Amino acid sequence: MKFIVTAFTMLATSATLFAQKSIYHKDWIDFNKNGKKDIYEDPAASLEARVKDLLGQMTIDEKTCQTATLYGFGRVLKDEQPTPGWKNEVWKDGIANIDEMLNGLARNKRAQTKYSYPFSAHATAINNVQRWFIEETRLGIPVDFTNEGIHGLNHDHATAFPAPIGIGSSWNRNLVRQMGQIVGREAKALGYTNVYAPILDVARDQRWGRVVETYGEEPFLIGQLGTEMAAGIQENGVASTLKHFAVYSIPKGGRDGNARTDPHVAPREMHQLFLYPFKKVIANAHPMGIMSSYNDWDGIPVTASHYFLTELLRQQFGFDGYVVSDSRAVEFVSEKHHVAKDYKEAVKMVIEAGLNVRTEFDPPETFIRPLRELVKEGSLSVETLNQRVAEVLRVKFRLGLFDQPYVKDPKNADRTVATKESEAVALQLNRESLVLLKNAPPQGQTQPLLPLSASQYKKILVTGPLADEKSHAISRYGPSNKEVISVLEGIRNYVGNGATVAYEKGCEVADATWPESEIIETPLTEVETAAIDKAVEAAKQNDVVIAVVGEDDKRVGESLSRTGLNLPGRQLKLLQALKKTGKPIVMILINGQPLTINWENRYLDAILEAWFPGPQGGIAVAEAVFGAYNPGGKLTMTFPKTTGQIELNFPFKPASHAGQPGDGPNGYGRTAVVGALYPFGYGLSYTRFEYSDLQVSPEKGKTQSDIQVAVTVKNTGVVKGDDVVQLYVKDRVSSVTTYESVLRGFERVSLNPGEVKTVHFKLTPEDLSILDKDMHFVVEPGTFDIMIGSSSEDIRLKKSIELE
């Protein structure tokens, strides 16, 4: 009897395998297993015909399954690979997407898996999951595999880049495009079909924890770099999902955590600053995804807003992909915003508003079941559900999931991900993200301290709590398990036997009472005093001090906003003690947001901003410190002198940054500290650049004319260097108050000593438009100043044009 049962099982298995194999034909797949080529299975049919045909075959259960995310293994999904039990789960009828499947995040022990690395193992495992949905569900609708990717694909051992705030500081469109291509190419090779990047949030509050994940404070720059990132990703047939839409990045008082509400942003400011990058990237790169944010605006939760998700996003901006919610955005509609009486009503509101797919760290049926109830009761129309599902299906067809749903050659992933070439691009982006903030001659000398000469400084002390720290290079939304080279290691490797490198930590990043110690100072403990004393004694025995200070990943990031922006803990006390030795000091900043480093700027000899570099950051910093690389990055955020100045940003309205009568040479008035510590666009170099021959054509034209601008740049120094030529526009007189000036062009140029280059810009009518009193974008006749500068405050050349 046992033999008969076993034989029957083998026959049944063989029959199933044969049936599954039979759905695959030369140029089409029989997804619904009916033995004929349906329209949605026909690659030659039009997109709309395929969507209509598939939608017409779907049940309510199958439709609702296309509105939810299943978080991958180690999050919600308990299985690394399909099991017989999946037939009892809600996704037996399909699923919209699976997020972070088998990506092997180092910090999530539950997500550790043998399928994340080597890369070919992951591609094969993803194929197995995809095959289950195609072969074991009735209609065989493929899954969209999503993943994060703001500074490299969020996958075990993938190519890792600097934090976005550093990427922004490069001002290099070409490098950002290459980064996007690498992220998209690696995603495709590993089986991911949708990358949650770039972040287009405009960070206007320096205290906000997620500043580190943004390109900065200025919408034009963000729109330009965001376009390159999104386009680079999508070149590989992978969707780019922009986040976080919208007005997410200015929570009240900079507070984060669960208080992500109440952004105080006026309508005109919302359109000109916070929506601008989304509008530009949608128009220029046509991304297939948008992530809706969980904040409200003017009392309306964005994810439940028809105005944001339908009127603005689809009807005005022309977005034609699908909208996925940020985690808990749907839940917050009822539990935090309290505009729905319960979660079920919140589900109805978000679907009617325009949300396509709910994402949350709980089983997808928590959204799917109430959605089914709403349709069954007649509270939500089938027409609305059809529209939302059709928008998801369109993206899946556009991604080619119904034509080539599998990774063709899993072994190719081993040759594609984290190559020497991609790591070289990451290193170059690390280099170009560096910003030189100060470089003065040490006491008694005439030449700036940097770059250091190994022949002059034979004995080097590296100190500071971040000198040998590595955690900042590996964060939640990027690659993990990478070999990280700390600043200390980078310096030791660079100097080799040419100098001796001593190391003393000096202090921890933060003291035991931090952040309270920022407002109530506590005395140093015996341990802290001893650590600083050891660093001081070491400094006395060396020729120069390199102090690596700032923030670690426990001090800045998502839900880690700050109340102060000074160096945390005892770091300033360490620097002050080192200063008393009289030794030259180079300060390397590792941080995720602008810091109020006033004492440091006044008294230390040199300051190099490194942000949160990638795993190769130690190499880039060492090269810059010793002159093998000349830092040329520029700040994309204003550095305030104190949090009491916030908001302090570029662009700004006339007189909103005004000083006071009696302002001194250092920007101090009678009652307030005024002026930025470092303005937007600021950054020094080891060489000098001269601007000349500004040409603007036509100087008299029509409001709908394109304006051609050219300027000559010359490296007048003795070393090669990069400069970021910045174009600003000022509208002299307008019908509504507008910004003092706005950024409307930039170009990073690399010049050898004595080399000259002409940089060209084109201003379009859109670049000169304002949002008038009737809330229409128009170019008003009048006078415009065209300004070329090395920062927003260092304007070198200016010409005026007249438009009629």
Side-chain angles (χ1 to χ4, degrees):
M1 185 68 178
K2 182 178 179 181
F3 173 80
I4 296 173
V5 171
T6 303
F8 177 80
T9 302
M10 291 175 63
L11 286 170
T13 302
S14 298
T16 300
L17 290 171
F18 179 80
Q20 289 174 347
K21 287 182 180 178
S22 69
I23 73 171
Y24 299 102
H25 300 278
K26 182 179 179 182
D27 61 351
W28 66 284
I29 300 172
D30 188 10
F31 290 101
N32 63 6
K33 301 109 183 145
N34 66 355
K36 66 175 184 176
K37 185 191 290 186
D38 291 82
I39 295 173
Y40 86 91
E41 298 165 345
D42 185 359
S46 70
L47 171 64
E48 290 307 313
R50 297 180 82 178
V51 171
K52 182 180 179 180
D53 180 58
L54 176 54
L55 196 62
Q57 296 189 39
M58 295 172 72
T59 65
I60 294 298
D61 284 359
E62 289 163 337
K63 290 174 182 176
T64 52
C65 279
Q66 295 298 314
T67 67
T69 293
L70 170 60
Y71 258 103
F73 173 70
R75 292 282 188 170
V76 171
L77 195 55
K78 295 179 175 60
D79 309 306
E80 294 173 279
Q81 293 285 267
T83 69
W86 284 22
K87 282 290 190 179
N88 302 317
E89 301 286 354
V90 71
W91 55 85
K92 70 181 184 300
D93 295 311
I95 201 73
N97 55 37
I98 300 180
D99 194 30
E100 297 189 39
M101 182 60 175
L102 304 172
N103 59 357
L105 290 185
R107 296 187 182 185
N108 182 3
K109 300 304 180 185
R110 294 181 304 165
Q112 300 305 297
T113 173
K114 62 186 177 184
Y115 296 111
S116 62
Y117 186 81
F119 302 125
S120 53
H122 185 270
T124 300
I126 288 290
N127 277 351
N128 293 338
V129 176
Q130 187 74 281
R131 185 172 290 106
W132 188 91
F133 281 91
I134 289 170
E135 297 177 357
E136 299 297 333
T137 64
R138 188 179 73 92
L139 294 176
I141 300 173
V143 172
D144 184 14
F145 288 98
T146 59
N147 198 2
E148 303 283 350
I150 61 173
H151 61 107
L153 189 69
N154 191 29
H155 187 92
D156 189 1
H157 287 86
T159 305
F161 297 85
I165 190 65
I167 294 168
S169 297
S170 75
W171 297 62
N172 191 325
R173 293 183 187 84
N174 292 334
L175 264 184
V176 175
R177 182 62 162 257
Q178 290 179 57
M179 176 189 167
Q181 291 167 341
I182 290 167
V183 170
R185 185 163 58 246
E186 294 187 348
K188 185 77 169 180
L190 287 162
Y192 300 110
T193 50
N194 192 328
V195 177
Y196 291 161
I199 287 180
L200 299 182
D201 298 319
V202 180
R204 303 287 284 183
D205 194 320
Q206 291 89 341
R207 298 166 295 183
W208 186 47
R210 301 194 82 171
V211 165
V212 66
E213 298 175 14
T214 74
Y215 293 140
E217 70 187 13
E218 202 286 324
F220 180 85
L221 175 75
I222 295 168
Q224 294 282 306
L225 298 185
T227 292
E228 300 299 335
M229 182 67 178
I233 290 171
Q234 295 205 156
E235 282 180 25
N236 296 275
V238 174
S240 165
T241 291
L242 315 179
K243 56 184 190 176
H244 307 86
F245 187 81
V247 206
Y248 168 71
S249 54
I250 186 164
K252 184 178 179 181
R255 285 178 287 274
D256 202 351
N258 198 36
R260 296 164 172 139
T261 58
D262 201 20
H264 289 188
V265 180
R268 187 170 277 102
E269 183 180 20
M270 178 180 75
H271 283 277
Q272 292 181 319
L273 295 181
F274 298 95
L275 295 179
Y276 180 94
F278 289 94
K279 183 179 180 181
K280 293 293 286 188
V281 176
I282 289 168
N284 295 332
H286 311 290
M288 287 185 262
I290 289 282
M291 181 179 288
S292 67
S293 56
Y294 36 54
N295 57 283
D296 66 335
W297 179 74
D298 196 25
I300 307 297
V302 170
T303 298
S305 168
H306 187 270
Y307 171 70
F308 276 101
L309 299 193
T310 298
E311 295 173 42
L312 275 181
L313 197 54
R314 295 192 184 277
Q315 296 171 5
Q316 292 189 34
F317 295 174
F319 174 69
D320 60 0
Y322 77 80
V323 181
V324 59
S325 70
D326 202 351
S327 298
R328 297 213 70 72
V330 177
E331 287 74 10
F332 282 169
V333 172
S334 56
E335 71 183 34
K336 184 173 72 173
H337 301 298
H338 305 296
V339 298
K341 67 175 181 285
D342 53 27
Y343 178 65
K344 185 175 176 180
E345 185 178 21
V347 171
K348 170 180 164 66
M349 290 173 67
V350 299
I351 288 290
E352 290 182 335
L355 181 71
N356 298 100
V357 175
R358 190 288 303 248
T359 299
E360 176 48 40
F361 297 106
D362 62 18
E365 56 262 33
T366 60
F367 181 83
I368 291 169
R369 285 173 179 162
L371 181 58
R372 288 174 178 172
E373 291 174 9
L374 288 165
V375 175
K376 183 178 180 180
E377 298 164 358
S379 300
L380 181 73
S381 71
V382 174
E383 290 74 20
T384 297
L385 178 62
N386 286 347
Q387 185 175 350
R388 298 295 167 263
V389 174
E391 288 157 353
V392 175
L393 296 178
R394 282 190 192 96
V395 170
K396 292 189 174 186
F397 278 110
R398 289 169 63 188
L399 289 172
L401 291 175
F402 287 88
D403 304 320
Q404 295 179 353
Y406 304 116
V407 179
K408 276 187 175 182
D409 179 11
K411 286 290 184 184
N412 181 57
D414 295 327
R415 302 185 294 270
T416 300
V417 184
T419 64
K420 289 183 179 179
E421 292 77 11
S422 66
E423 296 289 357
V425 174
L427 175 57
Q428 186 61 23
L429 201 41
N430 267 289
R431 294 182 180 119
E432 298 199 14
S433 68
L434 299 174
V435 184
L436 184 61
L437 298 179
K438 183 180 180 182
N439 194 21
Q443 187 173 3
Q445 299 187 29
T446 58
Q447 295 300 313
L449 178 58
L450 294 178
L452 294 182
S453 167
S455 61
Q456 181 180 1
Y457 298 104
K458 288 289 189 180
K459 298 169 69 178
I460 301 166
L461 171 66
V462 179
T463 186
L466 292 161
D468 203 27
E469 180 58 53
K470 300 182 178 184
S471 62
H472 55 266
I474 306 294
S475 82
R476 165 72 179 85
Y477 293 111
S480 57
N481 295 318
K482 300 289 289 186
E483 179 186 356
V484 178
I485 300 170
S486 70
V487 173
L488 174 62
E489 292 170 339
I491 290 171
R492 281 179 168 163
N493 294 340
Y494 185 88
V495 301
N497 296 324
T500 62
V501 178
Y503 168 66
E504 286 292 342
K505 189 171 186 178
C507 67
E508 300 296 330
V509 174
D511 61 280
T513 63
W514 190 89
E516 187 184 47
S517 59
E518 288 193 319
I519 60 172
I520 302 175
E521 187 172 353
T522 54
L524 293 171
T525 66
E526 290 183 7
V527 172
E528 290 170 337
T529 299
I532 291 175
D533 288 346
K534 285 182 69 176
V536 168
E537 288 305 310
K540 292 175 181 178
Q541 306 305 315
N542 285 276
D543 301 325
V544 67
V545 176
I546 300 175
V548 190
V549 296
E551 303 169 303
D552 59 9
D553 58 344
K554 295 181 178 63
R555 248 49 64 172
V556 61
E558 187 171 7
S559 299
L560 295 174
S561 293
R562 291 187 56 188
T563 47
L565 290 174
N566 293 335
L567 290 175
R570 312 304 193 186
Q571 296 182 75
L572 178 57
K573 292 189 181 299
L574 170 65
L575 294 171
Q576 290 171 334
L578 292 168
K579 175 67 177 176
K580 291 178 182 178
T581 67
K583 301 293 184 177
I585 299 176
V586 180
M587 183 172 84
I588 309 296
L589 271 178
I590 304 289
N591 53 305
Q593 60 205 133
L595 300 178
T596 49
I597 48 172
N598 297 284
W599 185 94
E600 299 87 333
N601 177 67
R602 178 167 294 184
Y603 294 109
L604 302 184
D605 303 297
I607 303 174
L608 181 66
E609 173 63 83
W611 299 114
F612 272 12
Q616 302 175 86
I619 297 174
V621 169
E623 290 176 342
V625 167
F626 291 97
Y629 177 74
N630 184 355
K634 302 281 189 175
L635 296 180
T636 61
M637 287 199 76
T638 302
F639 275 50
K641 294 175 179 174
T642 168
T643 54
Q645 293 175 292
I646 294 173
E647 296 180 8
L648 189 75
N649 304 102
F650 181 89
F652 55 89
K653 296 290 182 68
S656 66
H657 285 190
Q660 296 179 303
D663 288 349
N666 297 312
Y668 293 88
R670 292 172 179 165
T671 63
V673 176
V674 299
L677 182 61
Y678 309 115
F680 173 82
Y682 173 86
L684 304 176
S685 173
Y686 297 155
T687 189
R688 299 179 303 278
F689 298 95
E690 180 183 272
Y691 298 177
S692 63
D693 194 25
L694 174 60
Q695 301 290 325
V696 182
S697 177
E699 294 188 13
K700 290 189 177 182
K702 303 294 185 182
T703 56
Q704 295 307 302
S705 301
D706 286 342
I707 309 297
Q708 304 297 328
V709 179
V711 64
T712 299
V713 186
K714 181 180 181 179
N715 181 347
T716 60
V718 295
V719 296
K720 180 181 179 181
D722 290 4
D723 191 30
V724 179
V725 184
Q726 300 163 41
L727 169 62
Y728 296 91
V729 174
K730 176 181 175 67
D731 189 349
R732 291 259 193 99
V733 179
S734 51
S735 60
V736 297
T737 302
T738 190
Y739 298 101
E740 184 67 25
S741 68
V742 291
L743 180 72
R744 284 299 179 262
F746 61 89
E747 195 68 40
R748 182 165 181 148
V749 293
S750 184
L751 299 173
N752 290 313
E755 187 177 359
V756 177
K757 183 175 182 178
T758 300
V759 179
H760 297 271
F761 301 99
K762 183 176 79 170
L763 291 170
T764 67
E766 184 181 2
D767 292 324
L768 303 177
S769 67
I770 64 168
L771 201 53
D772 70 8
K773 63 184 187 315
D774 298 318
M775 297 298 284
H776 297 135
F777 279 102
V778 297
V779 181
E780 296 183 337
T783 304
F784 296 81
D785 291 332
I786 310 300
M787 300 173 288
I788 297 292
S790 186
S791 82
S792 59
E793 292 186 2
D794 183 11
I795 302 299
R796 308 282 183 86
L797 301 170
K798 181 172 73 172
K799 278 196 174 183
S800 298
I801 60 172
E802 297 285 339
L803 298 181
E804 60 181 21

